Amino acid sequence: MTGSVLTRIAAGAVALALAVSMSVGTTRLAPWDVLSEDAQLRALAATVLWEVRAPRTLLAAMTGASLALSGAVLQGLFRNPLADPGIIGVSATAALGAVLAFHFSVATPIAGGLAGGFVGALLLAALAGRGAGTLTLVLAGVAISSLAVALTSLALNLAPSPFAAYEIMFWLLGAVADRSWREVTTTLPFVVIGWAMLLATGRGLAALTLGEDVARSMGLAQGRLRGLAIAGTACCVGASVAASGGIGFVGLVVPHLLRPLVGHDPRRLLPFSAAGGAVLLLTADIAVRLVPAAQELKLGVATALVGAPVFLWQVLRLRGIR
Amino acid sequence: MRQAALRGVSALALAFCLTVDASAGGATPMRIVSANLCADRLVIDLVPRERILSVSPFAADPGLSPSSDRAVGLPVNRGDAEEILELRPDLVVTGAFASRGAAALLRRAGVAVHEIPVTADLAAARAAIRDLARRLDAVARGEAMIAALDARLDALPRPLVSVRAVSLHAGGWVAGAGSLADAVFSRLGIVNAAASRIGFVQMDVETLLSHAPELFAVERHGGPAASRAAEAMTHPALARGAARRVEIPARDWACADAGLGQAAALIAGAAR
């Protein structure tokens, strides 16, 4: 498929997902109710659409794009098909940072999420240094992730609020329900900065696909590339997790689904991954609102249902290659 | 060795049974352990302090109990069977939500346990206070407590025009029909906007707004402790439009006792 057709399809898919997300809710209110004759219904629809559904929709799109984009960058950087902010532990350390900052009233959750994201990304880069194999990277990620989840649970149990201990589900599985413009406006700047850094890695990652030696001979500054990838991931994943909790598998699934369509060139894959991540998470968020459960499902449940099979398929494929 | 240990344990258990049985036969309980916040509040108000051996860790928290000043200095228990058995109480008062396992263990060890039931309306609340007062041999104080609550509720003003209200609690929980908040609303002549739902239900902001409440009675938890559950009640969409908001301290909603009078007074004041 040619680039312009793909771009149009991607833009159309994002627009459609945004529109459906604004139209679907836990009540039967529809966007056209803002034009209703009934003044009361009109006011209610306006409040619900603008104050409830719009921030939720934007947050889902931003979070999905951040996770998928950083997944695509990390897969390119580590040249490892299993890299994903959830699997390598950055989401978990970001959640830990946000929990410590928020529940102990030390700082804003965003600041905590960013700090946690940086710690996780740097720890991983140190543990699974240059040229680390798939196994090393994933095992280091599992270790960081498990430790961060355990510490998050400990922190929630020790937090001064009696409700904190029950909030582990949100931090592990994520949700954008009832988020407001407060979260959108505090998250957006960091997410945009993170996207800019991650998108700037496209050329370097393209050179890296030819192998490290060739890339070096082409004049690639690997230190700068790693720095951009790690800082960009920490920025946009850290801020997203602080606002919507840890949502797994988006960063893993989206690049794998898109490679057969857009090819392996990171310069093309990265922007399409961002769009695909937004569409996937918006779709997941629409699904959790439509499932008639007494308590709304967490977003991570929906993404894991799609993501875990893809993860297994990747593992089996890797084994087949060896 | 192991058999000896077992024999020791059963002898100990038997000893407990004997001591407890000697005092449990309807006599005035003199060694009372309260293992739950709502039990603490009632027991402290119904019997003299000397008869109370131990209370829950929350009894002395002014944010959770109106009688906290009288709980200061009383020994504290965490509600598990082992530490309660060690105190050799002649009555353990607990709530239906408190550790079920502990209550069963205590009963099996022969300790008298009085469980305060969950109440969903004012008649049941009165009956629960009356039952406990009888068990504590404090009937007169129990009747006085009930009369004071009823007098306070009767004296509250009723809204002149119909008002639709919701009782909103931490984590987005809303009191539907068959809850104490619903009972307080109807006693005050206020319409519970969430009456189509039964018991406590969790509502997202969108669903909550679609019930068109005109008054939000929002449970407020003291202290600076941050939680997402508490944040759920500060969504900006709840402040849009003409709906009024009144904050009810958590301690006034927590238990079916005199605290309800305080919650009702705040709601009645806001609904006028």
Side-chain angles (χ1 to χ4, degrees), chain A residues 96-112 160, chain B residues 224-226:
Chain A
L96 174 61
V99 163
L100 289 175
F102 175 59
H103 285 282
F104 294 88
S105 308
V106 185
T108 62
I110 296 282

Coordinates of all heavy atoms in Angstrom, one line a residue, chain A residues 96-112 160, chain B residues 224-226:
Chain A
L96 N 4.8 2.9 40.6 CA 5.3 2.9 41.9 C 5.6 4.4 42.3 O 5.3 4.9 43.4 CB 6.6 2.1 42.0 CG 7.3 2.2 43.4 CD1 6.5 1.7 44.5 CD2 8.6 1.4 43.3
G97 N 6.3 5.1 41.3 CA 6.6 6.5 41.6 C 5.3 7.3 41.8 O 5.3 8.1 42.8
A98 N 4.3 7.1 41.0 CA 3.1 7.9 41.1 C 2.4 7.6 42.4 O 1.8 8.5 43.1 CB 2.1 7.6 40.0
V99 N 2.4 6.3 42.9 CA 1.7 5.9 44.1 C 2.4 6.6 45.3 O 1.8 7.1 46.2 CB 1.8 4.4 44.3 CG1 1.5 4.0 45.7 CG2 0.7 3.7 43.4
L100 N 3.8 6.5 45.3 CA 4.5 7.1 46.4 C 4.2 8.6 46.5 O 4.0 9.2 47.5 CB 6.0 6.9 46.2 CG 6.5 5.5 46.4 CD1 8.0 5.3 46.1 CD2 6.2 5.0 47.9
A101 N 4.2 9.3 45.3 CA 4.0 10.7 45.3 C 2.6 11.1 45.7 O 2.4 12.0 46.5 CB 4.3 11.3 43.9
F102 N 1.7 10.4 45.2 CA 0.2 10.7 45.4 C -0.3 10.3 46.8 O -0.8 11.2 47.5 CB -0.6 10.1 44.3 CG -2.1 10.3 44.5 CD1 -2.6 11.5 44.5 CD2 -2.9 9.2 44.6 CE1 -4.0 11.7 44.7 CE2 -4.3 9.4 44.7 CZ -4.8 10.6 44.8
H103 N -0.1 9.1 47.1 CA -0.7 8.6 48.4 C 0.0 9.1 49.6 O -0.5 9.1 50.7 CB -0.8 7.1 48.4 CG -1.9 6.6 47.5 ND1 -3.2 6.6 47.9 CD2 -1.9 6.0 46.3 CE1 -3.9 6.1 46.9 NE2 -3.2 5.8 45.9
F104 N 1.3 9.5 49.5 CA 2.0 10.1 50.6 C 2.1 11.6 50.5 O 2.8 12.2 51.3 CB 3.3 9.4 50.8 CG 3.2 8.0 51.1 CD1 3.1 7.0 50.1 CD2 3.1 7.5 52.5 CE1 3.0 5.7 50.5 CE2 3.0 6.2 52.8 CZ 2.9 5.3 51.8
S105 N 1.3 12.2 49.6 CA 1.3 13.6 49.4 C 2.7 14.3 49.3 O 2.9 15.3 49.9 CB 0.4 14.3 50.5 OG -0.8 13.6 50.6
V106 N 3.6 13.6 48.6 CA 4.9 14.2 48.5 C 5.0 15.1 47.3 O 5.6 16.2 47.4 CB 6.0 13.0 48.3 CG1 7.4 13.6 48.2 CG2 5.8 12.0 49.3
A107 N 4.4 14.7 46.2 CA 4.5 15.5 45.0 C 3.2 15.1 44.1 O 2.4 14.3 44.6 CB 5.7 15.2 44.2
T108 N 3.1 15.7 43.0 CA 2.0 15.4 42.1 C 2.2 14.0 41.6 O 3.4 13.6 41.4 CB 1.8 16.4 41.0 OG1 3.0 16.3 40.2 CG2 1.6 17.8 41.4
P109 N 1.1 13.2 41.2 CA 1.3 11.9 40.7 C 2.2 12.0 39.4 O 3.0 11.1 39.1 CB -0.1 11.4 40.4 CG -1.0 12.5 40.8 CD -0.3 13.5 41.5
I110 N 2.0 13.0 38.6 CA 2.8 13.1 37.3 C 4.3 13.2 37.6 O 5.1 12.4 37.0 CB 2.4 14.4 36.6 CG1 0.9 14.3 36.1 CG2 3.3 14.6 35.4 CD1 0.6 13.5 34.9
A111 N 4.7 14.0 38.6 CA 6.1 14.1 39.0 C 6.6 12.7 39.4 O 7.7 12.3 39.0 CB 6.3 15.1 40.1
G112 N 5.8 12.0 40.2 CA 6.2 10.7 40.7 C 6.3 9.7 39.5 O 7.2 8.9 39.5
P160 N -1.4 6.5 54.3 CA -2.3 6.9 55.3 C -3.8 6.8 55.1 O -4.6 6.7 56.0 CB -1.9 8.4 55.5 CG -1.1 8.8 54.3 CD -0.5 7.5 53.8
Chain B
P224 N -5.3 14.8 55.6 CA -4.8 15.1 54.3 C -4.6 13.9 53.4 O -4.1 14.0 52.3 CB -3.4 15.8 54.7 CG -3.0 15.1 55.9 CD -4.3 14.6 56.6
A225 N -4.9 12.7 54.0 CA -4.6 11.5 53.3 C -5.2 11.4 51.9 O -6.4 11.5 51.7 CB -5.0 10.3 54.1
A226 N -4.4 11.3 50.8 CA -4.9 11.3 49.5 C -5.2 9.9 49.0 O -4.6 8.9 49.4 CB -3.8 11.8 48.5

